[in-house]
Amino acid sequence: MLDTNKAPLSDAALRQLFLDARTYNAFLSTPVPDDLLRRLADLVKLGPTAANASPARIVFVKSPEAKQKLAPALSEGNRDKTLAAPVTAIIGYDLEFYDKLPKLFPHNLTARSWFEGKPAAIEETGFRNSSLQGAYLILAARALGLDCGPMSGFDKAAVDAAFFPDGKVKSNFICNLGYGDPAGLFPRNPRLDFDEFCAIA
Amino acid sequence: MLDTNKAPLSDAALRQLFLDARTYNAFLSTPVPDDLLRRLADLVKLGPTAANASPARIVFVKSPEAKQKLAPALSEGNRDKTLAAPVTAIIGYDLEFYDKLPKLFPHNLTARSWFEGKPAAIEETGFRNSSLQGAYLILAARALGLDCGPMSGFDKAAVDAAFFPDGKVKSNFICNLGYGDPAGLFPRNPRLDFDEFCAIA
């Protein structure tokens, strides 16, 4: 019989993605080249979204000027580490993501009507799927050897005004990217036991 | 100089996680053992969440009885393929996730007060972070050799009534799991170009 099962990734890969991966507060000075951000985006965009709508919009904040634009929106506890990180990704979602559906979901040209003029459907689909895409970014970054420091402690209205002034994109969360400095790590927090968050029915 | 950079995963691993991975509609009859679901949960729980709050609650629907309980809540287009899948994961979020913060975030015992009695903060944090955890589940499943079929086309109130009758957990999305049958694949849909969803500032 043909064995069609794919094998698990190596233990080293599982460690890099999950088991040894940590949220970093401090990063080494090693830069993150634009080419690596493009390679990251090429992985992120392949992750699944509802109706392939791909609502996430991402700004990689890298220049000192852009970091200074971000600074006033950061919470006190997140400001210094974020300004020091090589890159801060702002993950937002496009409130007019349905405009791209003719390209993204070409076999069903009525898909646009599921969202256009329906703010509740736009909000739910945009928020859920840009969150999924933000998680794809975290794991794709780790797969490429980068470390992450995701945060939701910031002034969303201020980020939106500074980076999405046309009002068509809402920020969801932000994520520092770089090569993590283990010296800045806290001990890992406990996690829930299987029965505390899972059931097999 | 010490090279502290981690290397990217192998091309084969990047293919399994992102480049060749697809949303599957049909699965082989190969079963998914409970032990593999536990191994999956052990990876998912390590992904980062805000204040480590880990709000996702997951039901792995596997038995014929549980599948029949799910059936009436599925949209017409999703029903047959979901009933045929070896496992369907329901990813929900606990509206009282703050009860677990003393265990999960032990160094700051005021964290509970950020959420308790604050329905808007519960909803935003629960929805965002259970979505992140659902994406970790998709990529952890792929890392373990499984394939996924995520969907948001179902009756959430009906799923909640059937699987979370105490009203404390809200469903977010569902995801079929198994070993995918390539015969059931559609061609991959187009994705956005870098400049359509990303900017480097």
Side-chain angles (χ1 to χ4, degrees), chain B residues 109-197:
Chain B
L109 294 177
T110 66
R112 185 189 176 99
S113 70
W114 305 339
F115 303 105
E116 192 172 15
K118 296 175 179 165
I122 290 170
E123 176 62 23
E124 181 181 336
T125 298
F127 188 35
R128 175 186 295 114
N129 287 278
S130 67
S131 298
L132 296 178
Q133 291 182 281
Y136 303 151
L137 179 139
I138 291 170
L139 288 169
R142 290 174 174 177
L144 292 176
L146 290 165
D147 294 299
C148 298
M151 290 163 284
S152 46
F154 64 96
D155 180 339
K156 291 184 178 58
V159 165
D160 295 352
F163 289 92
F164 308 117
D166 67 4
K168 292 181 184 172
V169 175
K170 278 174 72 174
S171 54
N172 184 341
F173 71 97
I174 61 178
C175 185
N176 291 333
L177 296 170
Y179 295 95
D181 182 353
L185 281 180
F186 302 124
R188 193 199 279 280
N189 279 315
R191 294 301 196 270
L192 298 175
D193 300 328
F194 184 85
D195 294 339
E196 290 180 293
F197 77 111

Side-chain angles (χ1 to χ4, degrees), chain A residues 4 6-7 9 16 28 45-46 52 58 60 62-63 103 127-128 143 147 172 189-191 196-197 199 201, chain B residues 4 6-7 9 16 28 45-46 52 58 60 62-63 103 127-128 143 147 172 190-191 196-197 199 201:
Chain A
T4 46
K6 284 186 281 279
L9 300 185
Q16 182 162 329
L28 304 173
K45 72 182 182 185
L46 294 177
N52 192 37
I58 302 168
F60 295 106
K62 199 174 156 179
S63 70
K103 169 176 179 169
F127 189 35
R128 175 185 296 114
D147 295 298
N172 184 341
N189 279 315
R191 294 302 197 269
E196 291 180 293
F197 78 111
Chain B
T4 46
K6 284 186 281 282
L9 299 185
Q16 182 161 328
L28 305 173
K45 72 182 182 186
L46 294 177
N52 193 36
I58 302 168
F60 294 107
K62 200 175 155 180
S63 69
K103 171 176 179 168
F127 188 35
R128 175 186 295 114
D147 294 299
N172 184 341
R191 294 301 196 270
E196 290 180 293
F197 77 111

Side-chain angles (χ1 to χ4, degrees), chain A residues 3-25:
Chain A
D3 179 7
T4 46
N5 299 358
K6 284 186 281 279
L9 300 185
S10 69
D11 286 349
L14 295 176
R15 281 199 300 274
Q16 182 162 329
L17 291 168
F18 291 103
L19 300 169
D20 290 349
R22 298 293 312 280
T23 287
Y24 280 81
N25 294 294

Side-chain angles (χ1 to χ4, degrees), chain B residues 85-107:
Chain B
V87 177
T88 305
I90 303 170
I91 296 98
Y93 51 106
D94 189 342
L95 299 173
E96 297 179 353
F97 64 80
Y98 49 78
D99 277 341
K100 299 284 200 298
L101 285 171
K103 171 176 179 168
L104 296 170
F105 206 60
H107 57 286

